[in-house]
Amino acid sequence: MPTDTSAQDDDAQAQAQQEKNTTREGILVRRGQIWEDLDTRQSKRRVVVESVADGEAQVRDHYGTKHSTISASRMHRHSTGFRLVEPGELKYGAPTASSDEKTESR
């Protein structure tokens, strides 16, 4: 009786793809993440990941004027690398409750 190994092959391919898209620090590079260039010549440039495949991230700068490709292997803390920007560091993005919006308990 033949067995269906296509599901196992798909799982193995998905896992291999995920490993390629993971940085040295173990961060999975995903669409929508914001990374900061640590190269001092770049003046703290930040890029947004538009897509990731085969260990290559297609990114655009914050203004959307420049597009480039960055290898996931470069996305680590190093003088010429990148670091993942934490949501709390952003001056824009998801709205947060203002200080005058307080919930009252009765």
Side-chain angles (χ1 to χ4, degrees):
M1 177 179 222
T3 59
D4 184 16
T5 59
S6 63
Q8 291 174 350
D9 291 343
D10 290 344
D11 288 344
Q13 288 176 351
Q15 185 174 357
Q17 186 68 252
Q18 187 170 344
E19 287 175 9
K20 287 181 184 179
N21 297 338
T22 302
T23 67
R24 293 180 191 179
E25 297 166 340
I27 301 168
L28 181 61
V29 180
R30 294 185 175 148
R31 185 176 192 272
Q33 289 177 331
I34 299 173
W35 291 78
E36 182 177 3
D37 195 337
L38 298 176
D39 189 338
T40 57
R41 298 170 291 182
Q42 295 297 327
S43 182
K44 296 195 177 200
R45 170 179 79 133
R46 290 184 175 183
V47 295
V48 179
V49 177
E50 291 189 328
S51 65
V52 185
D54 296 324
E56 299 286 323
Q58 300 294 322
V59 299
R60 66 171 168 79
D61 65 357
H62 261 79
Y63 305 108
T65 56
K66 293 183 182 180
H67 290 75
S68 54
T69 302
I70 300 172
S71 174
S73 65
R74 275 201 59 215
M75 299 173 105
H76 62 96
R77 290 183 177 267
H78 186 267
S79 61
T80 60
F82 288 80
R83 73 174 184 89
L84 182 61
V85 175
E86 298 297 324
E89 297 177 62
L90 300 175
K91 295 180 181 175
Y92 52 88
T96 58
S98 62
S99 59
D100 60 340
E101 292 179 13
K102 296 181 180 171
T103 57
E104 294 181 22
S105 59
R106 294 180 186 200

